[in-house]
Amino acid sequence: MSRLRRMPRRRSYDQYCSAARALDAVGDRWTLLIVRELLAGPRRYTDLHADLPGVSTDVLASRLKDMERDELATRRKLPPPAAAVVYELTGRGRELLPVLTALARWGAPALAERRPTDAVRAHWFAVPLMPVLAACAAGAGAGAEGVVEVRLDEGVFHVRLGGGAPGPAADRAADRPGDRPADRAPNPVAYGDGPADAPDARLVLDADTCRAVGAGTLALADAVRDGRIEVSGDGPLAKALRGA
């Protein structure tokens, strides 16, 4: 039996209820936000700490141990020359993507005003935006899939829409901690921080527009038509987004 399996379990709600069991695993503060970060791919501990402002090192270490024990995440050592230890989600951990998507949509009205103390990272906008882009691509039919790069003033992220096996860029990134391309994850739709190697489409917009589109209060087609979103690219995916 592994060391993780010998670790004592946390307090439980002790209720024979699937929601209670789920909250036993992910109900602690910071856990779902760690999942949000790891949905973008493998991360080093230092990278996680940098993108989770406000979490203490002790709490982050404790949550990661809990996630390993509950088989939501695992850690591995990258081969040389990286030789770094990274954390990544298991298949069960990746199943939390729709949970985070629903939470993001539910919480969207609370983002109407940005507080002076609010930290922000561009890739935090990815989770609520992904289903909107995916619906647009799906509605356009076969061929409208690939990688969309999204550029905000706050930074850049990218999302993958549709299927397809991981490509060479993903294989290279497995040995580069901190690079988290969307096409490395096995999910039909996943995202990554930073620019894409060769995006099929590129969106340029501001954070308020991204928030509104992700929340469903601004239609993607209206934002494109009104010039609030600039779409570039020549392939089927770019054309679908341009004509959303």
Side-chain angles (χ1 to χ4, degrees), residues 146-172:
V147 177
V148 180
E149 183 177 281
V150 181
R151 291 188 167 268
L152 310 176
D153 290 339
E154 290 79 2
V156 183
F157 62 90
H158 58 283
V159 303
R160 183 175 182 83
L161 307 175
D171 296 335
R172 292 194 305 271

Side-chain angles (χ1 to χ4, degrees), residues 16-206:
Y16 191 66
C17 163
S18 57
R21 289 286 198 269
L23 289 171
D24 282 347
V26 300
D28 285 338
R29 192 178 187 214
W30 295 106
T31 299
L32 283 175
L33 296 184
I34 295 171
V35 172
R36 178 196 66 194
E37 296 303 309
L38 293 181
L39 279 167
R43 304 290 305 274
R44 295 178 299 191
Y45 178 90
T46 52
D47 295 328
L48 283 171
H49 190 255
D51 277 340
L52 290 167
V55 69
S56 70
T57 55
D58 289 346
V59 168
L60 179 57
S62 175
R63 294 295 180 269
L64 288 168
K65 287 179 180 178
D66 290 341
M67 291 173 68
E68 286 186 83
R69 181 201 55 215
D70 293 333
E71 299 182 346
L72 299 177
T74 186
R75 57 179 168 171
R76 63 184 173 91
K77 188 172 184 179
L78 297 178
V85 174
V86 294
Y87 293 87
E88 59 189 342
L89 293 176
T90 62
R92 184 162 174 77
R94 288 191 296 270
E95 289 175 355
L96 288 164
L97 174 58
V99 176
L100 275 173
T101 301
L103 277 173
R105 193 170 186 92
W106 182 81
L111 296 183
E113 293 186 17
R114 188 183 299 186
R115 295 173 298 203
T117 56
D118 281 343
V120 64
R121 303 287 188 274
H123 66 273
W124 293 350
F125 291 90
V127 169
L129 185 63
M130 282 193 295
V132 178
L133 299 181
C136 176
E145 60 181 33
V147 177
V148 180
E149 183 177 281
V150 181
R151 291 188 167 268
L152 310 176
D153 290 339
E154 290 79 2
V156 183
F157 62 90
H158 58 283
V159 303
R160 183 175 182 83
L161 307 175
D171 296 335
R172 292 194 305 271
D175 295 335
R176 297 199 308 266
D179 285 1
R180 311 188 297 284
D183 57 357
R184 185 180 188 280
N187 311 55
V189 180
Y191 75 93
D193 189 16
D197 283 348
D200 299 279
R202 180 177 288 113
L203 307 182
V204 179
L205 65 163
D206 60 41

